[in-house]
Amino acid sequence: MSTSQHLLHIFSFALFFFMSRAAEKPHGLILPIRKNSTTLQYYTEVDMGTPLSNANVVIDLGGELLWFDCDGYNSSSYHLLRCNSSKCKAATTYECTDCNYPYSSDCSKNFCGVYPYNPLGNGFIEAGLALGEDIMSVSSTDGISYLLSVEARHFPFTCRSTRLGSILGSELSGGTKGMIGLSRARSALSSQLASAFKLPHKFALCLPNSSATGPGDIFIGGGPYYMLPYGDVSKELMTTPLILNPVNNSPTRVGESNVHSDEYFIGVKSIHVDRKHVSFKESLLSINKKGIGGTKLSTLAPYTILQTSIYKALVKDFVKAAASRKIKRVTSVAPFGACFSSKTIASSQTGPAVPVIHLQLQSKSMYFRIYGANSMVEVEKDVLCLGFVDGGSNPTTSVVLGGHQLENYLLEFDLASSKLGFSTSLLLRNTTCSHYRLF
Ligand SMILES: *[C@@H]1O[C@H](CO)[C@@H](O)[C@H](O)[C@H]1NC(C)=O
Ligand SMILES: *[C@@H]1O[C@H](CO)[C@@H](O)[C@H](O)[C@H]1NC(C)=O
Ligand SMILES: *[C@@H]1O[C@H](CO)[C@@H](O)[C@H](O)[C@H]1NC(C)=O
Ligand SMILES: *[C@@H]1O[C@H](CO)[C@@H](O)[C@H](O)[C@H]1NC(C)=O
Ligand SMILES: *[C@@H]1O[C@H](CO)[C@@H](O)[C@H](O)[C@H]1NC(C)=O
């Protein structure tokens, strides 16, 4: 072998080594987010098993486990988790189950059984469904493009064949067959992928609207976050503490004490409409000893849900502020409480030019601003409604910030520092969550 061949050899080996290393330790990971315009659910696609098969699954920001209908899923790399494994113990509710259901008839009594919950159907999928693990293939990213796919070898999930009877619920959007959780739980997508690839324990969401032309993003492992054509927004995020609700009021944890919530709460201090303070009992905005109250973020609520007194006060002040902008009110269309003639509303870079809603966070100058594109919903031709709904007088959580209000913002959940980073409305940057991408 000549020296130059030798060098080439070393070089290609180094390149191979570098590339395989790059594949092992990606800079970050990316998954697409799409929205179904009928159900208003956000979903992503996961690629699992050997051979890889894909499934669209609804995104639940507060959810714990990946579960899907595995009818026809026949993966040679799938295996069941034992009852005594650490992954089984990381699943919050588990039991030792008899059979490695749904796969074979081996009933040796020490498989891990979990209780996957479907919040859309307000019910458990099934009790003691076996927890298994398999390869998950996910695209790496540099914050701009979809790059090489990498494999997490032991991704935990549970599944059930619909051949055993229908369970998965018609509540899921057509074309999807399960759910994926992004909560603080150790079994959630973000924790699993961050630890599989030793990435910083953070993820970001950019929720697209339903008429959007391209998908939004789930980024795992941190920025940069290129919102083209504008650029990287990771350096201009404002931050607010993520609050740990000390009580887990989820149906999966009923009766258990000393278990905190896995959902993401933030500290909204007050609400303003066109800079005027909306008046209601502000103690509703804090979380009490029973875990009641406060503000959380949700991808399953299509519109923000407010405790009745907050809802009524907001609608009243919004209607008043709209009237002073000469916006004409029209008959309300359920479930909304205030609708307006869009002929009397100008348009702006941030959607319909309606009163701006400010959620004041930890300090007097820290706001999450909700402009017309996020506050208003077009219910019929020429009618725009204030897109907030009444959550009744005794909800568990006083303010549930829903999807419509979070679209086209970049939201970064940093679990290591327990902070939520948020961009301004991307519309102000002349881009959206369905921004250009390089492939
Ligand atoms: C599953 O795959 C194995 C080979 O990997 C094959 O022998 C078996 O017939 C398949 N089962 C089904 C139900 O497709
Ligand atoms: C779990 O149980 C299996 C079979 O019962 C056993 O072989 C294994 O050593 C146990 N593992 C731990 C971590 O206890
Ligand atoms: C959205 O969900 C509806 C209702 O489940 C379904 O009929 C429709 O096909 C879905 N749309 C897309 C684009 O998947
Ligand atoms: C949704 O986003 C697209 C850009 O992707 C924009 O053109 C459209 O107006 C938006 N629709 C609504 C209802 O905000
Ligand atoms: C966005 O576009 C508007 C008008 O189309 C322009 O005035 C503004 O400077 C642009 N903003 C950015 C951040 O590019």
Side-chain angles (χ1 to χ4, degrees):
M1 205 185 270
S2 75
T3 311
S4 61
Q5 272 176 319
H6 201 82
L7 280 175
L8 190 66
H9 200 76
I10 291 175
F11 177 74
S12 50
F13 177 75
L15 190 68
F16 173 78
F17 182 74
F18 176 77
M19 285 179 66
S20 56
R21 282 296 299 268
E24 273 165 36
K25 175 103 175 59
H27 177 84
L29 305 170
I30 187 168
L31 290 95
I33 307 181
R34 293 189 171 79
K35 184 178 186 183
N36 180 304
S37 57
T38 311
T39 60
L40 309 178
Q41 292 164 7
Y42 303 89
Y43 60 94
T44 189
E45 181 189 308
V46 291
D47 294 302
M48 305 284 301
T50 311
L52 283 176
S53 66
N54 56 33
N56 285 334
V57 286
V58 171
I59 297 166
D60 177 6
L61 181 59
E64 180 194 332
L65 264 183
L66 169 63
W67 57 265
F68 56 86
D69 172 358
C70 55
D71 199 8
Y73 186 76
N74 184 21
S75 165
S76 59
S77 48
Y78 175 85
H79 56 265
L80 286 149
L81 287 159
R82 298 270 166 188
C83 199
N84 58 2
S85 66
S86 61
K87 283 222 171 91
C88 184
K89 288 170 185 156
T92 49
T93 312
Y94 72 97
E95 63 177 19
C96 298
T97 190
D98 291 348
C99 299
N100 62 356
Y101 186 65
Y103 264 99
S104 82
S105 53
D106 172 11
C107 292
S108 48
K109 288 202 197 294
N110 60 3
F111 291 103
C112 179
V114 292
Y115 290 76
Y117 182 73
N118 177 1
L120 291 170
N122 286 318
F124 291 95
I125 308 309
E126 185 150 315
L129 208 52
L131 185 68
E133 60 180 21
D134 209 339
I135 291 169
M136 177 186 274
S137 172
V138 48
S139 187
S140 62
T141 188
D142 50 3
I144 306 179
S145 323
Y146 278 71
L147 301 174
L148 284 180
S149 289
V150 291
E151 286 180 350
R153 305 221 134 250
H154 306 284
F155 196 92
F157 69 103
T158 185
C159 74
R160 185 193 192 282
S161 166
T162 41
R163 277 174 302 169
L164 300 166
S166 168
I167 32 90
L168 294 180
S170 50
E171 312 84 8
L172 294 172
S173 302
T176 67
K177 53 182 185 178
M179 290 185 106
I180 194 160
L182 285 173
S183 74
R184 297 170 184 270
R186 271 202 285 159
S187 51
L189 176 79
S190 39
S191 305
Q192 283 295 321
L193 291 182
S195 54
F197 296 103
K198 302 197 166 48
L199 295 171
H201 201 171
K202 50 172 96 163
F203 68 95
L205 289 186
C206 203
L207 298 176
N209 69 26
S210 30
S211 51
T213 46
D217 315 286
I218 303 175
F219 289 106
I220 291 167
Y225 308 119
Y226 279 92
M227 300 290 132
L228 299 177
Y230 173 71
D232 177 21
V233 298
S234 66
K235 298 291 180 302
E236 50 190 73
L237 302 179
M238 288 159 281
T239 61
T240 190
L242 281 171
I243 295 170
L244 193 65
N245 183 334
V247 183
N248 193 323
N249 283 306
S250 143
T252 56
R253 305 310 292 268
V254 164
E256 292 180 55
S257 53
N258 300 320
V259 187
H260 64 73
S261 167
D262 288 326
E263 298 186 288
Y264 300 105
F265 287 79
I266 56 170
V268 171
K269 295 271 182 292
S270 62
I271 302 178
H272 303 248
V273 172
D274 270 353
R275 304 200 171 275
K276 184 182 166 291
H277 198 134
V278 178
S279 146
F280 57 87
K281 203 170 86 191
E282 279 172 9
S283 60
L284 287 165
L285 296 176
S286 37
I287 300 171
N288 73 15
K289 284 197 187 105
K290 290 182 174 158
I292 312 287
T295 302
K296 74 174 182 186
L297 280 72
S298 168
T299 52
L300 294 182
Y303 306 107
T304 294
I305 307 167
L306 301 171
Q307 190 273 354
T308 298
S309 65
I310 307 178
Y311 173 79
K312 285 189 173 150
L314 177 72
V315 169
K316 184 169 132 258
D317 288 5
F318 192 90
V319 164
K320 208 188 287 172
S324 68
R325 289 181 179 226
K326 307 263 186 298
I327 294 173
K328 185 169 165 271
R329 191 169 178 188
V330 298
T331 313
S332 296
V333 177
F336 305 115
C339 299
F340 305 89
S341 161
S342 51
K343 289 185 183 149
T344 62
I345 304 176
S347 64
S348 75
Q349 199 179 354
T350 49
V354 295
V356 181
I357 299 171
H358 284 70
L359 306 182
Q360 190 215 321
L361 300 168
Q362 70 273 23
S363 73
K364 285 244 173 336
S365 56
M366 179 68 78
Y367 294 107
F368 185 81
R369 293 178 173 82
I370 303 174
Y371 301 99
N374 294 90
S375 60
M376 306 308 285
V377 180
E378 185 175 31
V379 293
E380 53 194 68
K381 192 175 179 294
D382 299 333
V383 179
L384 285 175
C385 299
L386 178 63
F388 289 71
V389 298
D390 185 347
S393 48
N394 291 305
T396 308
T397 303
S398 304
V399 179
V400 179
L401 285 173
H404 188 68
Q405 277 71 39
L406 303 174
E407 288 169 2
N408 297 323
Y409 288 82
L410 189 286
L411 305 170
E412 181 188 70
F413 298 80
D414 184 337
L415 300 189
S417 66
S418 202
K419 282 193 176 115
L420 174 73
F422 56 97
S423 68
T424 61
S425 165
L426 295 178
L427 304 177
L428 287 171
R429 303 286 184 243
N430 293 339
T431 185
T432 66
C433 288
S434 319
H435 53 85
Y436 295 111
R437 270 181 203 82
L438 308 173
F439 284 92

